[in-house]
Amino acid sequence: MRRALAAAVAVTAFTLSASACSSGSSGSDSSGPVTITWWDTSDATNEAGTFKSLVRDFEKANPDIKVKYVNVPFGDAQTKFQTAAGSKGAPDVLRADVGWTPGFAKAGFLAPLDDTAAAKDIGKFESNLIEQAKYEGKLYGIPQVTDTLGLMYNKELFTKAGVTAPPETWDELKSAMAKVKSKTGVDGFAFNPQGYYAMPFLFGEGTDMVDVADKKITVNSPAAVKGINTLNGVLEAPGARKLDTTSNAYANIMDAFSSGKVAAILQGPWENANVFKGSAFKDKDNLGIAPVPGTSSRQGAPLGGHNLVAYAGSDAAHQEASQKFIAFMTSASQEKTANANGTLPTRQDAYSVKVVANPGIAGYQKILSTGVPRLPLPEYSSLYTPLETQLIKIISGQVGTQSGLDQAAAEAGRLLPDYSTS
Protein backbone atom coordinates (compact mmCIF):
# COMPACT_ATOMS: atom_id res chain seq x y z
CA MET A 1 0.00 0.00 0.00
CA ARG A 2 1.64 3.15 -1.00
CA ARG A 3 1.23 6.92 -1.13
CA ALA A 4 -2.51 7.50 -1.60
CA LEU A 5 -5.26 4.98 -2.10
CA ALA A 6 -6.95 4.86 -5.48
CA ALA A 7 -10.66 5.31 -5.95
CA ALA A 8 -12.83 2.46 -4.71
CA VAL A 9 -13.79 -0.39 -6.98
CA ALA A 10 -17.45 -0.75 -7.83
CA VAL A 11 -17.95 -4.43 -7.20
CA THR A 12 -21.16 -5.12 -9.06
CA ALA A 13 -20.59 -8.64 -10.31
CA PHE A 14 -21.24 -9.75 -13.83
CA THR A 15 -20.31 -12.77 -15.91
CA LEU A 16 -17.44 -12.47 -18.34
CA SER A 17 -17.51 -14.42 -21.56
CA ALA A 18 -14.97 -17.23 -21.50
CA SER A 19 -14.00 -16.40 -25.06
CA ALA A 20 -13.48 -12.68 -24.49
CA CYS A 21 -10.17 -11.34 -25.74
CA SER A 22 -7.89 -9.19 -23.63
CA SER A 23 -5.89 -6.27 -24.89
CA GLY A 24 -2.95 -8.64 -25.20
CA SER A 25 -4.85 -11.14 -27.34
CA SER A 26 -5.07 -9.02 -30.47
CA GLY A 27 -2.19 -9.14 -32.87
CA SER A 28 -1.19 -12.78 -32.25
CA ASP A 29 -2.24 -15.91 -34.09
CA SER A 30 -1.93 -19.65 -33.59
CA SER A 31 1.20 -19.88 -35.73
CA GLY A 32 3.26 -17.25 -33.90
CA PRO A 33 4.24 -16.26 -30.39
CA VAL A 34 1.47 -15.44 -27.93
CA THR A 35 1.55 -11.80 -26.89
CA ILE A 36 0.28 -10.91 -23.44
CA THR A 37 -0.11 -7.45 -21.99
CA TRP A 38 1.16 -6.62 -18.52
CA TRP A 39 0.12 -3.50 -16.66
CA ASP A 40 2.89 -2.72 -14.20
CA THR A 41 1.89 -0.25 -11.47
CA SER A 42 5.36 0.22 -10.00
CA ASP A 43 7.06 3.60 -9.70
CA ALA A 44 8.05 4.60 -13.24
CA THR A 45 11.21 6.37 -12.09
CA ASN A 46 12.67 4.14 -9.40
CA GLU A 47 11.27 0.65 -10.01
CA ALA A 48 9.96 0.11 -13.54
CA GLY A 49 13.39 -0.33 -15.11
CA THR A 50 13.96 -3.49 -13.09
CA PHE A 51 10.70 -5.01 -14.26
CA LYS A 52 11.40 -4.14 -17.88
CA SER A 53 14.70 -6.00 -17.53
CA LEU A 54 12.90 -9.02 -16.06
CA VAL A 55 10.45 -8.99 -18.97
CA ARG A 56 13.40 -9.30 -21.34
CA ASP A 57 14.76 -12.19 -19.26
CA PHE A 58 11.38 -13.91 -19.43
CA GLU A 59 11.06 -13.50 -23.19
CA LYS A 60 14.56 -14.90 -23.67
CA ALA A 61 13.64 -17.97 -21.59
CA ASN A 62 10.21 -18.27 -23.28
CA PRO A 63 10.63 -17.41 -26.98
CA ASP A 64 7.04 -18.46 -27.71
CA ILE A 65 5.67 -15.66 -25.48
CA LYS A 66 5.96 -11.91 -25.96
CA VAL A 67 5.08 -9.40 -23.26
CA LYS A 68 3.69 -5.97 -24.04
CA TYR A 69 4.84 -3.91 -21.07
CA VAL A 70 2.71 -0.93 -20.00
CA ASN A 71 3.50 1.16 -16.93
CA VAL A 72 0.25 2.48 -15.46
CA PRO A 73 0.40 5.04 -12.61
CA PHE A 74 -0.59 3.34 -9.37
CA GLY A 75 -3.17 5.99 -8.51
CA ASP A 76 -5.03 5.41 -11.80
CA ALA A 77 -4.68 1.65 -12.19
CA GLN A 78 -7.57 0.44 -10.04
CA THR A 79 -10.21 2.42 -11.91
CA LYS A 80 -8.59 1.85 -15.30
CA PHE A 81 -8.52 -1.91 -14.82
CA GLN A 82 -12.13 -1.95 -13.67
CA THR A 83 -13.18 0.01 -16.76
CA ALA A 84 -11.09 -2.13 -19.10
CA ALA A 85 -12.37 -5.37 -17.60
CA GLY A 86 -15.94 -4.17 -17.96
CA SER A 87 -15.39 -3.66 -21.68
CA LYS A 88 -13.46 -6.92 -22.06
CA GLY A 89 -10.26 -5.08 -22.90
CA ALA A 90 -8.20 -5.54 -19.75
CA PRO A 91 -4.53 -6.57 -19.71
CA ASP A 92 -3.77 -10.25 -19.32
CA VAL A 93 -1.75 -9.58 -16.17
CA LEU A 94 -1.99 -6.77 -13.63
CA ARG A 95 0.25 -5.79 -10.74
CA ALA A 96 -2.54 -5.23 -8.20
CA ASP A 97 -2.43 -3.82 -4.70
CA VAL A 98 -3.38 -6.57 -2.25
CA GLY A 99 -6.43 -4.54 -1.30
CA TRP A 100 -7.80 -4.66 -4.85
CA THR A 101 -7.66 -8.43 -5.23
CA PRO A 102 -10.88 -9.36 -3.36
CA GLY A 103 -12.95 -6.69 -5.13
CA PHE A 104 -11.74 -7.66 -8.60
CA ALA A 105 -12.30 -11.33 -7.79
CA LYS A 106 -15.83 -10.70 -6.55
CA ALA A 107 -16.63 -8.76 -9.73
CA GLY A 108 -15.52 -11.70 -11.86
CA PHE A 109 -12.51 -9.91 -13.34
CA LEU A 110 -9.85 -12.39 -12.19
CA ALA A 111 -9.04 -15.98 -13.09
CA PRO A 112 -8.40 -18.42 -10.20
CA LEU A 113 -4.77 -19.53 -10.07
CA ASP A 114 -5.11 -22.63 -7.89
CA ASP A 115 -3.29 -25.64 -9.39
CA THR A 116 -1.88 -23.62 -12.28
CA ALA A 117 1.72 -22.97 -13.33
CA ALA A 118 1.52 -19.61 -11.57
CA ALA A 119 1.10 -21.36 -8.22
CA LYS A 120 3.68 -24.14 -8.65
CA ASP A 121 5.94 -22.76 -5.87
CA ILE A 122 3.16 -21.66 -3.56
CA GLY A 123 4.67 -23.47 -0.57
CA LYS A 124 7.72 -21.19 -0.66
CA PHE A 125 5.72 -18.03 0.03
CA GLU A 126 4.87 -16.53 3.40
CA SER A 127 1.53 -18.06 4.35
CA ASN A 128 -0.07 -14.80 5.52
CA LEU A 129 0.70 -13.24 2.13
CA ILE A 130 -1.00 -16.12 0.34
CA GLU A 131 -4.07 -15.57 2.49
CA GLN A 132 -4.16 -11.95 1.28
CA ALA A 133 -4.25 -13.24 -2.30
CA LYS A 134 -7.39 -15.33 -1.75
CA TYR A 135 -11.09 -14.61 -1.96
CA GLU A 136 -13.71 -17.06 -0.71
CA GLY A 137 -11.08 -19.77 -0.46
CA LYS A 138 -9.74 -19.47 -4.01
CA LEU A 139 -6.32 -18.12 -4.99
CA TYR A 140 -6.54 -15.09 -7.28
CA GLY A 141 -3.03 -13.66 -7.09
CA ILE A 142 0.61 -14.50 -6.47
CA PRO A 143 2.45 -12.10 -4.13
CA GLN A 144 5.20 -10.18 -5.93
CA VAL A 145 6.36 -7.75 -3.25
CA THR A 146 5.28 -7.20 0.33
CA ASP A 147 5.52 -4.42 2.87
CA THR A 148 4.40 -3.20 6.23
CA LEU A 149 4.71 0.06 8.08
CA GLY A 150 7.62 0.49 10.46
CA LEU A 151 9.13 3.26 12.53
CA MET A 152 11.91 4.74 10.39
CA TYR A 153 14.31 6.72 12.54
CA ASN A 154 17.59 8.61 12.27
CA LYS A 155 20.08 6.78 14.49
CA GLU A 156 22.44 9.74 14.72
CA LEU A 157 19.74 12.11 15.92
CA PHE A 158 18.45 9.58 18.42
CA THR A 159 21.98 9.08 19.78
CA LYS A 160 22.58 12.83 20.10
CA ALA A 161 19.32 13.11 22.01
CA GLY A 162 20.24 10.28 24.36
CA VAL A 163 17.58 7.92 23.00
CA THR A 164 19.26 4.55 23.35
CA ALA A 165 16.58 2.29 21.87
CA PRO A 166 13.68 2.72 19.46
CA PRO A 167 10.40 3.42 21.27
CA GLU A 168 8.06 0.46 21.68
CA THR A 169 5.02 2.35 22.95
CA TRP A 170 3.40 5.65 22.04
CA ASP A 171 4.42 7.09 25.41
CA GLU A 172 8.02 6.14 24.71
CA LEU A 173 7.74 7.80 21.29
CA LYS A 174 6.53 11.02 22.93
CA SER A 175 9.49 10.91 25.32
CA ALA A 176 11.92 10.36 22.43
CA MET A 177 10.34 13.20 20.40
CA ALA A 178 10.76 15.64 23.25
CA LYS A 179 14.41 14.64 23.81
CA VAL A 180 15.27 15.01 20.13
CA LYS A 181 13.70 18.47 19.95
CA SER A 182 15.35 19.60 23.17
CA LYS A 183 18.83 18.26 22.42
CA THR A 184 19.09 18.80 18.64
CA GLY A 185 16.46 21.37 17.71
CA VAL A 186 15.11 18.93 15.11
CA ASP A 187 11.48 17.78 15.07
CA GLY A 188 11.21 14.37 16.71
CA PHE A 189 8.33 12.89 14.70
CA ALA A 190 6.17 13.66 11.67
CA PHE A 191 2.87 12.01 10.79
CA ASN A 192 1.40 11.52 7.32
CA PRO A 193 -2.36 12.23 7.74
CA GLN A 194 -3.69 9.35 5.63
CA GLY A 195 -6.04 6.66 6.89
CA TYR A 196 -3.54 3.89 6.19
CA TYR A 197 -0.97 5.46 8.53
CA ALA A 198 -3.53 5.71 11.33
CA MET A 199 -4.20 1.96 11.35
CA PRO A 200 -1.46 1.13 13.91
CA PHE A 201 -3.33 3.28 16.44
CA LEU A 202 -6.42 1.09 15.93
CA PHE A 203 -4.47 -2.16 15.89
CA GLY A 204 -2.75 -1.15 19.12
CA GLU A 205 -6.17 -1.13 20.76
CA GLY A 206 -7.12 -4.47 19.28
CA THR A 207 -9.59 -3.18 16.72
CA ASP A 208 -9.95 -2.55 12.98
CA MET A 209 -12.32 -0.55 10.80
CA VAL A 210 -14.70 -3.53 10.61
CA ASP A 211 -15.30 -6.90 12.20
CA VAL A 212 -15.92 -9.27 9.29
CA ALA A 213 -16.93 -12.24 11.43
CA ASP A 214 -19.67 -10.28 13.20
CA LYS A 215 -20.43 -8.09 10.15
CA LYS A 216 -20.02 -4.97 12.24
CA ILE A 217 -18.50 -1.56 11.53
CA THR A 218 -16.01 -0.81 14.31
CA VAL A 219 -14.25 2.33 13.11
CA ASN A 220 -16.19 4.33 15.74
CA SER A 221 -15.96 1.75 18.53
CA PRO A 222 -14.62 2.77 21.97
CA ALA A 223 -11.32 1.06 21.11
CA ALA A 224 -11.01 3.01 17.84
CA VAL A 225 -11.82 6.28 19.60
CA LYS A 226 -9.13 5.51 22.17
CA GLY A 227 -6.62 4.78 19.41
CA ILE A 228 -7.25 8.02 17.53
CA ASN A 229 -7.16 9.96 20.79
CA THR A 230 -3.73 8.44 21.35
CA LEU A 231 -2.69 9.70 17.91
CA ASN A 232 -3.94 13.16 18.84
CA GLY A 233 -1.86 12.99 21.99
CA VAL A 234 1.27 12.17 20.02
CA LEU A 235 0.69 15.02 17.57
CA GLU A 236 0.11 17.51 20.39
CA ALA A 237 3.21 16.46 22.34
CA PRO A 238 6.50 18.43 22.37
CA GLY A 239 8.72 17.48 19.46
CA ALA A 240 5.97 16.66 16.97
CA ARG A 241 6.31 18.35 13.57
CA LYS A 242 3.51 20.75 12.68
CA LEU A 243 0.72 18.85 11.00
CA ASP A 244 0.79 19.10 7.20
CA THR A 245 -2.57 18.52 5.51
CA THR A 246 -1.64 19.98 2.12
CA SER A 247 -1.70 17.96 -1.08
CA ASN A 248 2.10 17.74 -0.83
CA ALA A 249 2.14 16.43 2.72
CA TYR A 250 3.58 13.05 1.81
CA ALA A 251 6.46 14.48 -0.22
CA ASN A 252 7.15 17.20 2.35
CA ILE A 253 7.43 14.69 5.17
CA MET A 254 9.71 12.41 3.16
CA ASP A 255 11.97 15.33 2.20
CA ALA A 256 12.17 16.45 5.82
CA PHE A 257 13.10 12.98 7.05
CA SER A 258 15.61 12.25 4.28
CA SER A 259 17.39 15.55 4.86
CA GLY A 260 17.58 15.13 8.63
CA LYS A 261 14.98 17.75 9.56
CA VAL A 262 12.81 15.21 11.38
CA ALA A 263 14.01 12.22 13.37
CA ALA A 264 11.26 9.62 12.94
CA ILE A 265 8.29 8.77 10.75
CA LEU A 266 5.91 5.87 10.08
CA GLN A 267 6.78 4.52 6.64
CA GLY A 268 7.11 1.43 4.47
CA PRO A 269 9.99 -0.20 2.57
CA TRP A 270 8.83 1.24 -0.76
CA GLU A 271 10.60 4.45 0.33
CA ASN A 272 13.94 2.78 1.13
CA ALA A 273 15.57 3.78 -2.15
CA ASN A 274 14.42 7.39 -1.86
CA VAL A 275 15.50 7.68 1.77
CA PHE A 276 19.00 6.48 0.92
CA LYS A 277 19.26 9.28 -1.65
CA GLY A 278 18.83 11.85 1.15
CA SER A 279 21.71 13.74 2.74
CA ALA A 280 20.98 12.28 6.18
CA PHE A 281 21.39 8.69 4.97
CA LYS A 282 24.47 8.72 2.76
CA ASP A 283 25.61 6.20 5.34
CA LYS A 284 22.82 3.64 4.96
CA ASP A 285 23.52 2.27 8.42
CA ASN A 286 22.16 5.53 9.86
CA LEU A 287 18.64 4.36 9.02
CA GLY A 288 16.92 2.62 11.90
CA ILE A 289 13.83 0.48 11.32
CA ALA A 290 11.72 -0.80 14.20
CA PRO A 291 8.17 -2.06 14.72
CA VAL A 292 5.57 0.68 14.85
CA PRO A 293 4.98 1.55 18.52
CA GLY A 294 1.79 0.43 20.19
CA THR A 295 0.30 0.06 23.62
CA SER A 296 2.09 -1.71 26.44
CA SER A 297 0.50 -5.00 25.36
CA ARG A 298 -0.04 -4.80 21.61
CA GLN A 299 1.61 -3.57 18.41
CA GLY A 300 0.44 -3.89 14.83
CA ALA A 301 0.82 -2.35 11.39
CA PRO A 302 -1.01 -2.99 8.11
CA LEU A 303 0.49 -5.65 5.88
CA GLY A 304 0.50 -4.58 2.24
CA GLY A 305 2.14 -5.30 -1.06
CA HIS A 306 1.22 -6.29 -4.58
CA ASN A 307 -0.07 -9.45 -6.22
CA LEU A 308 0.20 -10.42 -9.86
CA VAL A 309 -3.30 -11.34 -11.06
CA ALA A 310 -4.62 -12.75 -14.34
CA TYR A 311 -7.61 -11.38 -16.26
CA ALA A 312 -10.52 -13.82 -16.49
CA GLY A 313 -11.45 -12.65 -19.98
CA SER A 314 -8.30 -13.91 -21.70
CA ASP A 315 -8.55 -17.01 -23.89
CA ALA A 316 -6.90 -20.32 -22.98
CA ALA A 317 -3.62 -19.61 -24.78
CA HIS A 318 -3.22 -16.25 -23.09
CA GLN A 319 -4.19 -17.70 -19.72
CA GLU A 320 -1.44 -20.29 -20.02
CA ALA A 321 1.12 -17.68 -21.08
CA SER A 322 0.03 -15.38 -18.26
CA GLN A 323 0.46 -18.14 -15.71
CA LYS A 324 4.02 -18.80 -16.90
CA PHE A 325 4.78 -15.09 -16.75
CA ILE A 326 3.37 -14.71 -13.24
CA ALA A 327 5.40 -17.72 -12.08
CA PHE A 328 8.59 -16.22 -13.49
CA MET A 329 8.02 -12.74 -12.03
CA THR A 330 7.32 -14.19 -8.58
CA SER A 331 10.10 -16.78 -8.69
CA ALA A 332 13.61 -16.44 -7.27
CA SER A 333 13.86 -13.50 -9.70
CA GLN A 334 12.48 -11.54 -6.75
CA GLU A 335 16.11 -11.42 -5.61
CA LYS A 336 16.94 -9.22 -8.61
CA THR A 337 13.96 -6.99 -7.84
CA ALA A 338 14.96 -6.65 -4.20
CA ASN A 339 18.58 -5.82 -5.00
CA ALA A 340 17.62 -3.20 -7.58
CA ASN A 341 14.54 -1.63 -5.96
CA GLY A 342 15.08 -2.19 -2.26
CA THR A 343 11.69 -3.88 -1.89
CA LEU A 344 10.81 -6.95 0.15
CA PRO A 345 10.49 -10.38 -1.49
CA THR A 346 7.46 -12.53 -0.69
CA ARG A 347 9.30 -15.87 -0.56
CA GLN A 348 12.09 -16.89 1.76
CA ASP A 349 14.46 -18.24 -0.89
CA ALA A 350 14.79 -14.74 -2.36
CA TYR A 351 16.34 -13.37 0.85
CA SER A 352 19.92 -14.04 -0.23
CA VAL A 353 23.01 -12.80 1.57
CA LYS A 354 23.23 -9.94 -0.90
CA VAL A 355 19.59 -8.98 -0.42
CA VAL A 356 19.74 -8.83 3.38
CA ALA A 357 22.98 -6.83 3.16
CA ASN A 358 20.66 -3.91 2.34
CA PRO A 359 19.85 -2.48 5.80
CA GLY A 360 16.45 -1.28 4.58
CA ILE A 361 15.40 -4.77 3.50
CA ALA A 362 16.94 -6.48 6.52
CA GLY A 363 15.20 -4.04 8.84
CA TYR A 364 11.75 -4.58 7.39
CA GLN A 365 12.19 -8.34 7.10
CA LYS A 366 12.65 -8.47 10.87
CA ILE A 367 9.37 -6.66 11.54
CA LEU A 368 7.12 -8.37 8.98
CA SER A 369 5.78 -10.59 11.74
CA THR A 370 4.08 -7.52 13.28
CA GLY A 371 2.10 -6.97 10.07
CA VAL A 372 -1.68 -7.39 10.27
CA PRO A 373 -3.10 -9.06 7.11
CA ARG A 374 -5.76 -7.18 5.16
CA LEU A 375 -9.26 -8.42 5.91
CA PRO A 376 -10.78 -10.48 3.05
CA LEU A 377 -13.47 -7.91 2.31
CA PRO A 378 -13.86 -6.50 -1.23
CA GLU A 379 -14.87 -3.11 0.13
CA TYR A 380 -12.05 -2.91 2.70
CA SER A 381 -9.77 -0.58 0.76
CA SER A 382 -12.70 1.76 0.13
CA LEU A 383 -13.10 2.21 3.90
CA TYR A 384 -9.87 4.18 4.09
CA THR A 385 -11.51 7.11 2.29
CA PRO A 386 -14.14 8.00 4.93
CA LEU A 387 -11.62 7.30 7.70
CA GLU A 388 -9.07 9.63 6.13
CA THR A 389 -11.60 12.40 5.49
CA GLN A 390 -12.64 12.42 9.12
CA LEU A 391 -9.14 11.78 10.46
CA ILE A 392 -7.89 15.05 8.98
CA LYS A 393 -10.81 16.90 10.58
CA ILE A 394 -10.16 15.24 13.93
CA ILE A 395 -6.43 15.84 14.15
CA SER A 396 -6.90 19.38 12.82
CA GLY A 397 -9.30 20.12 15.67
CA GLN A 398 -12.32 20.67 13.44
CA VAL A 399 -14.41 17.90 15.02
CA GLY A 400 -14.21 15.70 18.08
CA THR A 401 -12.89 12.15 17.81
CA GLN A 402 -16.19 10.41 18.50
CA SER A 403 -18.14 12.72 16.22
CA GLY A 404 -15.68 12.32 13.37
CA LEU A 405 -15.48 8.55 13.66
CA ASP A 406 -19.27 8.32 13.87
CA GLN A 407 -19.42 10.12 10.53
CA ALA A 408 -16.80 7.74 9.11
CA ALA A 409 -18.91 4.82 10.33
CA ALA A 410 -22.03 6.26 8.70
CA GLU A 411 -20.21 6.54 5.37
CA ALA A 412 -18.83 3.03 5.80
CA GLY A 413 -22.38 1.85 6.37
CA ARG A 414 -23.33 3.04 2.92
CA LEU A 415 -20.57 0.84 1.50
CA LEU A 416 -21.57 -2.08 3.70
CA PRO A 417 -25.36 -1.87 4.08
CA ASP A 418 -25.60 -5.32 5.63
CA TYR A 419 -23.16 -4.42 8.44
CA SER A 420 -24.30 -3.08 11.79
CA THR A 421 -22.63 -0.05 13.44
CA SER A 422 -21.26 0.39 16.93
Side-chain angles (χ1 to χ4, degrees):
M1 160 53 207
R2 65 176 60 195
R3 280 80 72 181
L5 291 162
V9 176
V11 291
T12 303
F14 63 91
T15 303
L16 291 172
S17 167
S19 61
C21 292
S22 76
S23 58
S25 302
S26 59
S28 63
D29 57 53
S30 59
S31 63
V34 174
T35 299
I36 60 173
T37 298
W38 176 38
W39 281 8
D40 172 29
T41 59
S42 71
D43 183 274
T45 301
N46 298 312
E47 299 177 328
T50 303
F51 295 125
K52 290 178 183 178
S53 176
L54 284 172
V55 165
R56 292 191 292 270
D57 293 345
F58 172 79
E59 290 179 330
K60 185 176 180 179
N62 298 270
D64 58 334
I65 302 173
K66 298 297 181 184
V67 179
K68 180 181 178 182
Y69 174 91
V70 182
N71 185 269
V72 179
F74 177 81
D76 301 333
Q78 188 180 18
T79 301
K80 282 190 173 183
F81 182 79
Q82 175 194 344
T83 301
S87 62
K88 302 178 183 178
D92 301 282
V93 179
L94 171 72
R95 181 180 186 263
D97 183 272
V98 295
W100 304 347
T101 306
F104 286 155
K106 181 180 180 181
F109 298 156
L110 306 183
L113 298 175
D114 305 270
D115 303 318
T116 69
K120 63 184 180 66
D121 289 341
I122 207 69
K124 297 181 180 180
F125 291 78
E126 297 286 349
S127 59
N128 56 353
L129 303 183
I130 294 300
E131 289 305 309
Q132 286 197 144
K134 291 182 177 181
Y135 177 65
E136 294 187 341
K138 291 184 179 181
L139 182 68
Y140 286 97
I142 306 297
Q144 183 194 34
V145 295
T146 187
D147 60 63
T148 191
L149 289 180
L151 181 74
M152 276 189 175
Y153 64 96
N154 186 313
K155 292 181 181 179
E156 182 181 1
L157 288 174
F158 269 32
T159 298
K160 287 181 178 179
V163 181
T164 58
E168 297 182 1
T169 67
W170 301 120
D171 284 340
E172 289 179 7
L173 175 62
K174 288 192 285 187
S175 175
M177 288 160 39
K179 290 179 180 178
V180 168
K181 188 67 174 180
S182 174
K183 299 291 185 180
T184 71
V186 171
D187 291 329
F189 176 71
F191 179 72
N192 181 17
Q194 294 180 348
Y196 189 76
Y197 291 82
M199 294 309 297
F201 292 89
L202 271 61
F203 294 152
E205 299 298 336
T207 193
D208 203 321
M209 294 185 287
V210 292
D211 182 330
V212 173
D214 290 342
K215 300 189 75 171
K216 186 175 183 179
I217 294 168
T218 55
V219 72
N220 62 333
S221 66
V225 171
K226 185 176 181 181
I228 300 304
N229 279 338
T230 297
L231 169 59
N232 254 331
V234 170
L235 299 180
E236 293 169 356
R241 190 173 183 84
K242 183 180 179 181
L243 184 65
D244 186 344
T245 59
T246 68
S247 60
N248 294 322
Y250 185 97
N252 293 340
I253 290 169
M254 291 311 305
D255 287 345
F257 179 70
S258 299
S259 62
K261 295 177 183 177
V262 65
I265 58 174
L266 302 185
Q267 193 52 277
W270 56 84
E271 285 292 352
N272 280 340
N274 286 330
V275 168
F276 289 141
K277 293 176 183 177
S279 58
F281 299 99
K282 290 181 179 179
D283 176 3
K284 292 183 178 181
D285 288 331
N286 189 40
L287 178 63
I289 299 169
V292 173
T295 63
S296 58
S297 60
R298 188 183 287 110
Q299 293 172 303
L303 193 64
H306 292 82
N307 299 323
L308 292 186
V309 300
Y311 176 46
S314 297
D315 61 27
H318 288 79
Q319 289 285 346
E320 182 179 357
S322 297
Q323 292 160 11
K324 289 181 180 180
F325 178 66
I326 290 173
F328 179 86
M329 296 298 287
T330 58
S331 69
S333 64
Q334 288 188 46
E335 180 180 353
K336 180 175 181 177
T337 302
N339 284 326
N341 295 352
T343 51
L344 270 66
T346 57
R347 44 191 288 166
Q348 285 299 327
D349 57 356
Y351 283 93
S352 65
V353 173
K354 185 177 180 180
V355 168
V356 297
N358 181 320
I361 294 177
Y364 277 98
Q365 183 192 19
K366 292 177 182 177
I367 69 172
L368 274 176
S369 61
T370 66
V372 179
R374 199 78 56 93
L375 294 177
L377 182 69
E379 297 85 359
Y380 188 85
S381 291
S382 302
L383 299 176
Y384 285 119
T385 300
L387 171 60
E388 183 171 317
T389 298
Q390 298 304 318
L391 176 71
I392 291 174
K393 293 180 180 179
I394 293 168
I395 60 181
S396 298
Q398 300 175 42
V399 298
T401 304
Q402 185 69 67
S403 176
L405 294 183
D406 282 345
Q407 182 59 40
E411 294 175 33
R414 288 189 276 274
L415 294 169
L416 299 167
D418 56 338
Y419 274 53
S420 63
T421 56
S422 298

